[in-house]
Amino acid sequence: MKKFFLISTVILLLIMSVVSIGKTVTIRYWMWDPSIRAKEETLIKAFEKTHPNIKVELTTMEPKNYWPKLSAMSAAKSLPDVFNMSSGYVEGWASAGLLYKLNDFVSQLDLSKYFPKLFSVTTYNGNIYAFPFAWVTTVLYYNKDMFDEAGLAYPTDDWTWFDFLNAAIRLTKDKNGDGKIDQWGYWFYGRYAHIEPWIYQDGGRLLNENKTRFAPDANAMETLKFLTDLVLKYKVAPSKKSMTGVRQQDVFPLGMAAMWTDGSWNIENNRRIIKGKFRWGIAKVPRGPHWTHDITYAWPDSISISAFTKHPKEAWELVKFLTGPAVPVNLFMAGKVPSYKPTAYSEEWLQKDKQPGNMDLILKLGNNPVRTSFTKGWSEWRGYGGAEGMGLNGAIDKVINGEESLDKAMEESTIYVNKVLERYYK
Amino acid sequence: MIYDHIMRTRRYVPYLFLLPAIIGLFGFRLIPIVWAFLMSFTRWSVYAPPQWLGLANYKELFSSELFWGILKNTFVYTAIYVPGVMIIGLILAVLVNNRLRGIAFFRGLLFAPVVTSAVAIGMVWGWILSPRFGILNHVLEHWFSVSNPPAWLGDRNIALIAIAFVAVWQRVGYQMVLFLAGLQDIPTVFYEAAKIDGANRWQRFWKITLPLLSPTTFFVLIISIIDSFRNFTIIYTMTRGGPGSSSTTLAYAIYQNAFIFSRMGYASSLAYILLIIVGTITLINFYFKKKWVKYKY
């Protein structure tokens, strides 16, 4: 009897395990940040607990290896089921038929819990091809100590170019009297995150409406004139040339400039370098003369599902989980906003006890209309990463280095950028 | 029977041992080389299948001002780098060829940059050359009272030259070691005979060292030229090809197009141009070799 019981239990267990093995689906998930692998693993364990029929195989890789690998896999149609997706790549990958349409899944969600404006960046031809898990935007960083010393009021939400310029002039100082400026009012060069937010806040566009041609409008040109004049005419910002050798993101935290516009993700680097040396804050990018309403330059990091996956439903379960309430705040680098609103609005994310102290400003920006200039071939015409000196970036640098007039640089840029865009949009 | 069998299979055994190397050679060299040639006639973003373009990539390349600028940069860089590493490398080799106490230390010191990470070298030199905060301009301004020292890596007329100098500084130790090996191969009897005949130091160098070193010099010339056309890391860490494209060389442009712009086809056509240039120069070198390289004493 005892023996019979034992044998039957063993058989039962065997049957159960065979049945459950038969039902288990393995989802391969690739992400681009190895530094948070351990945290991600914990998260995946929690997912597997609540979804016992799904097993997740995690691969993490540095972005510089991630994209070449993933591209090669896409050529062989053997993409991981679920993978991280960059805003700049959504259009290219979606148009190549590599991404799974998420419309049906997304329509089942309560979108008021997310930042719906950001979905416009991951939408191509009316379909959603990537689901944001975090997003970033651009802000005006300012050094509170320098403002106090100059007797200036801090930037406000309705700050205009005039207010900004006035402050920048008074913040530009030669402190040791050697005839050289050692505290600049502002710091910028041709980088996308330094230029576009100003254009959008002046109601301007760099591209035509359907983003197939480079056609800076009058407002965009007005903005570029204003910005380049900060170096050439008002001399409240240094030339790109003279700052060579300093990492661009270190100029503000090292106290060389009182104000700076760049991505919100720089909060982390600022904290690390500034420590307690001075007090600083973040503000909206000032309004241009043609401002009618706030337009935010923001874009998400997202998760996509492979068009070749055999298990789209299970893959979506994972995507939903990785973008939802279960994701802890410590998985987000400071200044990156969780796309799940309740997490973003939590005290834990806002970190009011840490500088800049007013991170709620970023959340407000996420509810504005969103504009970007991402297209196919963006890194080439904009001048990005290992090609930073090229394209529009290089053209603006030429102007602020005093090597070419703005009009000439923009004339050349228009020809160059449109040549690039023509290759992709005929 | 068994003996015959072994004898028959034995003939294949060496190939079995060679197999890993052959697979490596084919899989990682020959096939990519042929593949790249085919890809140079296509538009290939990697994530979408390649589209046949015919000669369009080459047409675009030759009609692009950017390409000619990059080609010029490549030659300017080579024109500084190759004579730089060869002349300085030879001088250093002659200097450290002395039997002095502690000479091994100096040899090691001069070789150190070769084994140092190029990324670290690029960063440190980036700081040294920084116009406002770098030590070089500090010295120029305060010790030599130069009033407006250049922006070095920020100046589009100087950046490439500055990079070439750093590259010479980094690589010269390697050329030095090669020359040193060549120098130590020259039998001392020639020098002794020349001394007895009354030849001075300069004459001995000119008439004995240089001709007898020529096989080494030839080898160093070939690898220095190839080295200069392949330089990538220093450009990446110091200027990213900027300002504008003023320090972009062919090798760097290949990287940009392949891995930043996802233009594998165009990058392949650039790679083939590079191959043709390096190949031609190497052939020319081999052709003129017999005029100046002496293998027999």
Side-chain angles (χ1 to χ4, degrees), chain A residues 311-335:
Chain A
H311 313 289
K313 275 205 188 101
E314 287 80 2
W316 169 249
E317 283 303 317
L318 180 62
V319 173
K320 206 165 68 180
F321 189 84
L322 294 172
T323 54
V327 189
V329 166
N330 67 12
L331 223 66
F332 299 92
M333 180 181 160

PDB file of all heavy atoms in Angstrom, chain A residues 311-335:
ATOM      1  N   HIS A 311       4.850  34.177 -29.640  1.00  0.00           N
ATOM      2  CA  HIS A 311       3.998  34.324 -28.456  1.00  0.00           C
ATOM      3  C   HIS A 311       3.699  35.791 -28.166  1.00  0.00           C
ATOM      4  O   HIS A 311       4.123  36.321 -27.139  1.00  0.00           O
ATOM      5  CB  HIS A 311       4.674  33.699 -27.232  1.00  0.00           C
ATOM      6  CG  HIS A 311       5.224  32.344 -27.494  1.00  0.00           C
ATOM      7  ND1 HIS A 311       4.428  31.246 -27.679  1.00  0.00           N
ATOM      8  CD2 HIS A 311       6.508  31.903 -27.622  1.00  0.00           C
ATOM      9  CE1 HIS A 311       5.190  30.177 -27.898  1.00  0.00           C
ATOM     10  NE2 HIS A 311       6.456  30.558 -27.880  1.00  0.00           N
ATOM     11  N   PRO A 312       2.989  36.463 -29.049  1.00  0.00           N
ATOM     12  CA  PRO A 312       2.757  37.893 -28.838  1.00  0.00           C
ATOM     13  C   PRO A 312       2.014  38.189 -27.533  1.00  0.00           C
ATOM     14  O   PRO A 312       2.319  39.178 -26.863  1.00  0.00           O
ATOM     15  CB  PRO A 312       1.933  38.303 -30.064  1.00  0.00           C
ATOM     16  CG  PRO A 312       1.435  37.046 -30.666  1.00  0.00           C
ATOM     17  CD  PRO A 312       2.407  35.981 -30.298  1.00  0.00           C
ATOM     18  N   LYS A 313       1.065  37.333 -27.156  1.00  0.00           N
ATOM     19  CA  LYS A 313       0.282  37.595 -25.935  1.00  0.00           C
ATOM     20  C   LYS A 313       1.166  37.553 -24.708  1.00  0.00           C
ATOM     21  O   LYS A 313       1.112  38.452 -23.853  1.00  0.00           O
ATOM     22  CB  LYS A 313      -0.837  36.556 -25.806  1.00  0.00           C
ATOM     23  CG  LYS A 313      -2.066  36.950 -26.586  1.00  0.00           C
ATOM     24  CD  LYS A 313      -3.325  36.308 -26.018  1.00  0.00           C
ATOM     25  CE  LYS A 313      -4.489  36.556 -26.929  1.00  0.00           C
ATOM     26  NZ  LYS A 313      -4.801  35.367 -27.766  1.00  0.00           N
ATOM     27  N   GLU A 314       1.996  36.515 -24.627  1.00  0.00           N
ATOM     28  CA  GLU A 314       2.885  36.396 -23.478  1.00  0.00           C
ATOM     29  C   GLU A 314       3.910  37.540 -23.497  1.00  0.00           C
ATOM     30  O   GLU A 314       4.263  38.084 -22.454  1.00  0.00           O
ATOM     31  CB  GLU A 314       3.605  35.042 -23.482  1.00  0.00           C
ATOM     32  CG  GLU A 314       2.718  33.867 -23.112  1.00  0.00           C
ATOM     33  CD  GLU A 314       1.852  33.371 -24.266  1.00  0.00           C
ATOM     34  OE1 GLU A 314       1.963  33.913 -25.390  1.00  0.00           O
ATOM     35  OE2 GLU A 314       1.047  32.439 -24.040  1.00  0.00           O
ATOM     36  N   ALA A 315       4.379  37.873 -24.698  1.00  0.00           N
ATOM     37  CA  ALA A 315       5.338  38.975 -24.820  1.00  0.00           C
ATOM     38  C   ALA A 315       4.711  40.272 -24.303  1.00  0.00           C
ATOM     39  O   ALA A 315       5.342  41.046 -23.574  1.00  0.00           O
ATOM     40  CB  ALA A 315       5.778  39.138 -26.273  1.00  0.00           C
ATOM     41  N   TRP A 316       3.459  40.504 -24.657  1.00  0.00           N
ATOM     42  CA  TRP A 316       2.784  41.717 -24.204  1.00  0.00           C
ATOM     43  C   TRP A 316       2.624  41.708 -22.678  1.00  0.00           C
ATOM     44  O   TRP A 316       2.769  42.748 -22.033  1.00  0.00           O
ATOM     45  CB  TRP A 316       1.419  41.873 -24.880  1.00  0.00           C
ATOM     46  CG  TRP A 316       0.600  42.939 -24.245  1.00  0.00           C
ATOM     47  CD1 TRP A 316      -0.537  42.791 -23.510  1.00  0.00           C
ATOM     48  CD2 TRP A 316       0.883  44.349 -24.250  1.00  0.00           C
ATOM     49  NE1 TRP A 316      -0.979  43.998 -23.049  1.00  0.00           N
ATOM     50  CE2 TRP A 316      -0.130  44.978 -23.494  1.00  0.00           C
ATOM     51  CE3 TRP A 316       1.900  45.133 -24.810  1.00  0.00           C
ATOM     52  CZ2 TRP A 316      -0.167  46.352 -23.283  1.00  0.00           C
ATOM     53  CZ3 TRP A 316       1.864  46.509 -24.599  1.00  0.00           C
ATOM     54  CH2 TRP A 316       0.843  47.095 -23.854  1.00  0.00           C
ATOM     55  N   GLU A 317       2.343  40.525 -22.113  1.00  0.00           N
ATOM     56  CA  GLU A 317       2.244  40.441 -20.647  1.00  0.00           C
ATOM     57  C   GLU A 317       3.535  40.970 -20.009  1.00  0.00           C
ATOM     58  O   GLU A 317       3.499  41.710 -19.031  1.00  0.00           O
ATOM     59  CB  GLU A 317       2.015  38.992 -20.204  1.00  0.00           C
ATOM     60  CG  GLU A 317       0.587  38.488 -20.403  1.00  0.00           C
ATOM     61  CD  GLU A 317      -0.453  39.338 -19.702  1.00  0.00           C
ATOM     62  OE1 GLU A 317      -0.221  39.730 -18.543  1.00  0.00           O
ATOM     63  OE2 GLU A 317      -1.492  39.654 -20.333  1.00  0.00           O
ATOM     64  N   LEU A 318       4.660  40.578 -20.603  1.00  0.00           N
ATOM     65  CA  LEU A 318       5.947  41.026 -20.065  1.00  0.00           C
ATOM     66  C   LEU A 318       6.117  42.538 -20.262  1.00  0.00           C
ATOM     67  O   LEU A 318       6.519  43.255 -19.344  1.00  0.00           O
ATOM     68  CB  LEU A 318       7.091  40.265 -20.732  1.00  0.00           C
ATOM     69  CG  LEU A 318       8.500  40.648 -20.265  1.00  0.00           C
ATOM     70  CD1 LEU A 318       8.682  40.347 -18.785  1.00  0.00           C
ATOM     71  CD2 LEU A 318       9.575  39.926 -21.075  1.00  0.00           C
ATOM     72  N   VAL A 319       5.776  43.014 -21.461  1.00  0.00           N
ATOM     73  CA  VAL A 319       5.917  44.450 -21.732  1.00  0.00           C
ATOM     74  C   VAL A 319       5.074  45.253 -20.743  1.00  0.00           C
ATOM     75  O   VAL A 319       5.532  46.231 -20.155  1.00  0.00           O
ATOM     76  CB  VAL A 319       5.494  44.776 -23.191  1.00  0.00           C
ATOM     77  CG1 VAL A 319       5.466  46.283 -23.410  1.00  0.00           C
ATOM     78  CG2 VAL A 319       6.428  44.109 -24.180  1.00  0.00           C
ATOM     79  N   LYS A 320       3.847  44.796 -20.542  1.00  0.00           N
ATOM     80  CA  LYS A 320       2.928  45.491 -19.625  1.00  0.00           C
ATOM     81  C   LYS A 320       3.520  45.538 -18.220  1.00  0.00           C
ATOM     82  O   LYS A 320       3.468  46.562 -17.547  1.00  0.00           O
ATOM     83  CB  LYS A 320       1.588  44.736 -19.618  1.00  0.00           C
ATOM     84  CG  LYS A 320       0.399  45.576 -19.254  1.00  0.00           C
ATOM     85  CD  LYS A 320      -0.905  44.888 -19.612  1.00  0.00           C
ATOM     86  CE  LYS A 320      -1.153  43.676 -18.748  1.00  0.00           C
ATOM     87  NZ  LYS A 320      -2.419  42.988 -19.063  1.00  0.00           N
ATOM     88  N   PHE A 321       4.105  44.426 -17.838  1.00  0.00           N
ATOM     89  CA  PHE A 321       4.684  44.331 -16.494  1.00  0.00           C
ATOM     90  C   PHE A 321       5.885  45.268 -16.349  1.00  0.00           C
ATOM     91  O   PHE A 321       6.037  45.959 -15.345  1.00  0.00           O
ATOM     92  CB  PHE A 321       5.109  42.887 -16.233  1.00  0.00           C
ATOM     93  CG  PHE A 321       5.510  42.613 -14.820  1.00  0.00           C
ATOM     94  CD1 PHE A 321       4.563  42.313 -13.852  1.00  0.00           C
ATOM     95  CD2 PHE A 321       6.855  42.642 -14.442  1.00  0.00           C
ATOM     96  CE1 PHE A 321       4.934  42.045 -12.544  1.00  0.00           C
ATOM     97  CE2 PHE A 321       7.236  42.392 -13.135  1.00  0.00           C
ATOM     98  CZ  PHE A 321       6.273  42.090 -12.180  1.00  0.00           C
ATOM     99  N   LEU A 322       6.735  45.294 -17.388  1.00  0.00           N
ATOM    100  CA  LEU A 322       7.976  46.079 -17.324  1.00  0.00           C
ATOM    101  C   LEU A 322       7.742  47.579 -17.488  1.00  0.00           C
ATOM    102  O   LEU A 322       8.674  48.375 -17.374  1.00  0.00           O
ATOM    103  CB  LEU A 322       8.952  45.605 -18.409  1.00  0.00           C
ATOM    104  CG  LEU A 322       9.502  44.185 -18.265  1.00  0.00           C
ATOM    105  CD1 LEU A 322      10.298  43.796 -19.496  1.00  0.00           C
ATOM    106  CD2 LEU A 322      10.365  44.065 -17.013  1.00  0.00           C
ATOM    107  N   THR A 323       6.513  47.961 -17.806  1.00  0.00           N
ATOM    108  CA  THR A 323       6.225  49.386 -17.957  1.00  0.00           C
ATOM    109  C   THR A 323       5.184  49.830 -16.939  1.00  0.00           C
ATOM    110  O   THR A 323       4.704  50.955 -16.988  1.00  0.00           O
ATOM    111  CB  THR A 323       5.652  49.661 -19.367  1.00  0.00           C
ATOM    112  OG1 THR A 323       4.533  48.808 -19.567  1.00  0.00           O
ATOM    113  CG2 THR A 323       6.686  49.405 -20.443  1.00  0.00           C
ATOM    114  N   GLY A 324       4.835  48.939 -16.045  1.00  0.00           N
ATOM    115  CA  GLY A 324       3.711  49.214 -15.157  1.00  0.00           C
ATOM    116  C   GLY A 324       4.080  49.473 -13.711  1.00  0.00           C
ATOM    117  O   GLY A 324       5.211  49.860 -13.408  1.00  0.00           O
ATOM    118  N   PRO A 325       3.118  49.266 -12.809  1.00  0.00           N
ATOM    119  CA  PRO A 325       3.284  49.628 -11.398  1.00  0.00           C
ATOM    120  C   PRO A 325       4.354  48.817 -10.676  1.00  0.00           C
ATOM    121  O   PRO A 325       4.869  49.284  -9.650  1.00  0.00           O
ATOM    122  CB  PRO A 325       1.903  49.358 -10.797  1.00  0.00           C
ATOM    123  CG  PRO A 325       1.209  48.448 -11.758  1.00  0.00           C
ATOM    124  CD  PRO A 325       1.763  48.761 -13.107  1.00  0.00           C
ATOM    125  N   ALA A 326       4.710  47.657 -11.186  1.00  0.00           N
ATOM    126  CA  ALA A 326       5.647  46.810 -10.443  1.00  0.00           C
ATOM    127  C   ALA A 326       7.083  47.309 -10.512  1.00  0.00           C
ATOM    128  O   ALA A 326       7.933  46.891  -9.727  1.00  0.00           O
ATOM    129  CB  ALA A 326       5.576  45.385 -10.987  1.00  0.00           C
ATOM    130  N   VAL A 327       7.363  48.202 -11.454  1.00  0.00           N
ATOM    131  CA  VAL A 327       8.755  48.643 -11.638  1.00  0.00           C
ATOM    132  C   VAL A 327       9.131  49.630 -10.531  1.00  0.00           C
ATOM    133  O   VAL A 327       8.500  50.676 -10.403  1.00  0.00           O
ATOM    134  CB  VAL A 327       8.953  49.309 -13.017  1.00  0.00           C
ATOM    135  CG1 VAL A 327      10.429  49.551 -13.281  1.00  0.00           C
ATOM    136  CG2 VAL A 327       8.346  48.452 -14.113  1.00  0.00           C
ATOM    137  N   PRO A 328      10.149  49.304  -9.722  1.00  0.00           N
ATOM    138  CA  PRO A 328      10.508  50.199  -8.612  1.00  0.00           C
ATOM    139  C   PRO A 328      11.249  51.450  -9.099  1.00  0.00           C
ATOM    140  O   PRO A 328      11.891  51.428 -10.158  1.00  0.00           O
ATOM    141  CB  PRO A 328      11.424  49.333  -7.753  1.00  0.00           C
ATOM    142  CG  PRO A 328      12.019  48.347  -8.700  1.00  0.00           C
ATOM    143  CD  PRO A 328      10.982  48.098  -9.757  1.00  0.00           C
ATOM    144  N   VAL A 329      11.157  52.513  -8.303  1.00  0.00           N
ATOM    145  CA  VAL A 329      11.769  53.795  -8.681  1.00  0.00           C
ATOM    146  C   VAL A 329      13.281  53.659  -8.876  1.00  0.00           C
ATOM    147  O   VAL A 329      13.852  54.304  -9.756  1.00  0.00           O
ATOM    148  CB  VAL A 329      11.438  54.860  -7.613  1.00  0.00           C
ATOM    149  CG1 VAL A 329      12.322  56.085  -7.771  1.00  0.00           C
ATOM    150  CG2 VAL A 329       9.979  55.255  -7.709  1.00  0.00           C
ATOM    151  N   ASN A 330      13.927  52.813  -8.087  1.00  0.00           N
ATOM    152  CA  ASN A 330      15.396  52.766  -8.173  1.00  0.00           C
ATOM    153  C   ASN A 330      15.907  52.150  -9.472  1.00  0.00           C
ATOM    154  O   ASN A 330      17.104  52.043  -9.688  1.00  0.00           O
ATOM    155  CB  ASN A 330      15.998  52.064  -6.951  1.00  0.00           C
ATOM    156  CG  ASN A 330      15.655  50.586  -6.898  1.00  0.00           C
ATOM    157  OD1 ASN A 330      15.158  50.003  -7.867  1.00  0.00           O
ATOM    158  ND2 ASN A 330      15.919  49.969  -5.755  1.00  0.00           N
ATOM    159  N   LEU A 331      15.008  51.737 -10.340  1.00  0.00           N
ATOM    160  CA  LEU A 331      15.409  51.250 -11.650  1.00  0.00           C
ATOM    161  C   LEU A 331      15.606  52.404 -12.633  1.00  0.00           C
ATOM    162  O   LEU A 331      16.126  52.232 -13.719  1.00  0.00           O
ATOM    163  CB  LEU A 331      14.346  50.289 -12.184  1.00  0.00           C
ATOM    164  CG  LEU A 331      14.862  49.027 -12.835  1.00  0.00           C
ATOM    165  CD1 LEU A 331      15.551  48.146 -11.810  1.00  0.00           C
ATOM    166  CD2 LEU A 331      13.731  48.261 -13.482  1.00  0.00           C
ATOM    167  N   PHE A 332      15.175  53.594 -12.251  1.00  0.00           N
ATOM    168  CA  PHE A 332      15.270  54.746 -13.146  1.00  0.00           C
ATOM    169  C   PHE A 332      16.398  55.666 -12.688  1.00  0.00           C
ATOM    170  O   PHE A 332      16.459  56.065 -11.534  1.00  0.00           O
ATOM    171  CB  PHE A 332      13.958  55.529 -13.153  1.00  0.00           C
ATOM    172  CG  PHE A 332      12.791  54.720 -13.626  1.00  0.00           C
ATOM    173  CD1 PHE A 332      12.007  54.024 -12.715  1.00  0.00           C
ATOM    174  CD2 PHE A 332      12.484  54.624 -14.968  1.00  0.00           C
ATOM    175  CE1 PHE A 332      10.924  53.262 -13.132  1.00  0.00           C
ATOM    176  CE2 PHE A 332      11.414  53.861 -15.401  1.00  0.00           C
ATOM    177  CZ  PHE A 332      10.628  53.182 -14.485  1.00  0.00           C
ATOM    178  N   MET A 333      17.260  56.003 -13.627  1.00  0.00           N
ATOM    179  CA  MET A 333      18.302  56.980 -13.363  1.00  0.00           C
ATOM    180  C   MET A 333      17.616  58.324 -13.063  1.00  0.00           C
ATOM    181  O   MET A 333      16.575  58.626 -13.633  1.00  0.00           O
ATOM    182  CB  MET A 333      19.083  57.060 -14.681  1.00  0.00           C
ATOM    183  CG  MET A 333      20.204  57.960 -14.746  1.00  0.00           C
ATOM    184  SD  MET A 333      20.805  57.760 -16.469  1.00  0.00           S
ATOM    185  CE  MET A 333      21.707  59.265 -16.585  1.00  0.00           C
ATOM    186  N   ALA A 334      18.207  59.109 -12.155  1.00  0.00           N
ATOM    187  CA  ALA A 334      17.580  60.381 -11.778  1.00  0.00           C
ATOM    188  C   ALA A 334      17.347  61.237 -13.014  1.00  0.00           C
ATOM    189  O   ALA A 334      18.232  61.412 -13.836  1.00  0.00           O
ATOM    190  CB  ALA A 334      18.467  61.127 -10.793  1.00  0.00           C
ATOM    191  N   GLY A 335      16.120  61.765 -13.153  1.00  0.00           N
ATOM    192  CA  GLY A 335      15.811  62.610 -14.304  1.00  0.00           C
ATOM    193  C   GLY A 335      15.140  61.851 -15.416  1.00  0.00           C
ATOM    194  O   GLY A 335      14.633  62.447 -16.350  1.00  0.00           O
TER     195      GLY A 335
END
